[in-house]
Amino acid sequence: MDAKQLLQRLRKLSNPANVAGMARFGINPARTFGIRIPVLRALAKEVGTDHELALALWDSGYHEARILASMVDDVDKVTKTQMERWARDFDSWDVCDQCCMNLFRYTPWAWDKAKTWSGKKPEFVKRAGFAMMACLVANKTASDDAFVEFFPLIRREATDERNFVKKAVNWALRSIGKRNKHLNRLAIAEARAIQKLDSPTARWIASDALRELQNPATRTRLKS
């Protein structure tokens, strides 16, 4: 199945009502079909892995086609240049997050991009940096020290008032703090330090993170 055929499939699956609903959740409605993620995952499973197809889908500019591209791309063929180009194209939080979850976190450059992108100015590129931090928590072989290196970056950007940045900073802090007991203690200490910053955004990030990191259910899970 080529990109043209897949785009035809996506058009047939389009749902204008879903587009309106997505817009209410802050998803860019431009060039969007309104197709839910489970449907895209089923389609990706049908298609299989195809790097050239992924590039063509991305270049189409359609919202769901780009999410699908992140699902079917071959991680072994992804380059740093491609990652930078796709990141510059991010125009919606869900495309950003899906790329990080489905593809980018598996590349050899994931840790470096998390750090680099966290300091970039564009909203969705910066979000990608923190989304990557959150996604990397699933890496079973990573050391605690690798995540501790993210804490200064989280604190540095905790005063960014942009909605999709502050939520990603919060996501990264919460995710790291739920990885194990040691990182939970460190993340709580970091959240308390962020809470003291002279910034309403920083205080929200910290308070929300502390609510989850100190939750009895979280503590119980980490003990097991």
Side-chain angles (χ1 to χ4, degrees), residues 99-223:
C99 280
C100 292
M101 286 188 284
N102 301 330
L103 185 64
F104 289 171
R105 69 185 173 110
Y106 298 108
T107 67
W109 309 287
W111 297 86
D112 177 63
K113 294 302 179 187
K115 294 174 182 177
T116 302
W117 287 344
S118 72
K120 296 294 185 180
K121 185 175 182 179
E123 184 172 13
F124 292 110
V125 178
K126 181 173 286 191
R127 180 184 175 91
F130 293 102
M132 193 87 82
M133 294 178 195
C135 292
L136 285 168
V137 168
N139 186 317
K140 301 296 185 183
T141 61
S143 69
D144 285 357
D145 288 344
F147 293 100
V148 171
E149 291 181 10
F150 290 149
F151 285 142
L153 308 180
I154 289 171
R155 192 187 304 194
R156 184 191 69 196
E157 303 301 334
T159 58
D160 192 317
E161 298 177 355
R162 291 175 294 178
N163 188 48
F164 297 117
V165 173
K166 74 176 185 180
K167 287 186 175 181
V169 173
N170 171 266
W171 179 21
L173 181 58
R174 288 186 292 107
S175 296
I176 294 170
K178 291 187 294 181
R179 181 176 166 90
N180 59 44
K181 289 191 291 184
H182 174 59
L183 286 173
N184 180 262
R185 289 193 295 271
L186 296 180
I188 287 172
E190 187 63 33
R192 287 173 176 159
I194 290 171
Q195 201 170 34
K196 295 177 182 177
L197 297 177
D198 186 18
S199 163
T201 298
R203 288 194 291 272
W204 175 84
I205 289 170
S207 296
D208 186 77
L210 286 169
R211 189 178 304 112
E212 185 166 356
L213 296 177
Q214 298 179 122
N215 186 291
T218 300
R219 294 278 177 86
T220 299
R221 183 183 64 79
L222 292 175
K223 287 179 181 178

Side-chain angles (χ1 to χ4, degrees), residues 6-56:
L6 271 174
L7 287 171
Q8 290 174 342
R9 289 276 298 274
L10 293 175
R11 288 189 181 94
K12 289 180 180 178
L13 291 167
S14 64
N15 187 326
N18 284 349
V19 175
M22 292 161 70
R24 288 194 292 274
F25 284 95
I27 294 173
N28 189 341
R31 298 174 72 81
T32 298
F33 296 117
I35 304 170
R36 299 186 184 280
I37 293 296
V39 177
L40 293 177
R41 291 203 183 282
L43 187 54
K45 187 175 181 179
E46 179 184 339
V47 171
T49 301
D50 191 323
H51 179 63
E52 295 304 321
L53 177 60
L55 295 179

Side-chain angles (χ1 to χ4, degrees), residues 25-84:
F25 284 95
I27 294 173
N28 189 341
R31 298 174 72 81
T32 298
F33 296 117
I35 304 170
R36 299 186 184 280
I37 293 296
V39 177
L40 293 177
R41 291 203 183 282
L43 187 54
K45 187 175 181 179
E46 179 184 339
V47 171
T49 301
D50 191 323
H51 179 63
E52 295 304 321
L53 177 60
L55 295 179
L57 287 171
W58 188 270
D59 288 341
S60 74
Y62 286 99
H63 187 92
E64 284 85 354
R66 287 184 164 176
I67 293 176
L68 185 59
S70 75
M71 296 175 177
V72 304
D73 205 350
D74 184 345
V75 67
D76 292 331
K77 295 182 179 179
V78 174
T79 65
K80 289 187 285 186
T81 299
Q82 177 188 335
M83 292 174 71
E84 289 292 340

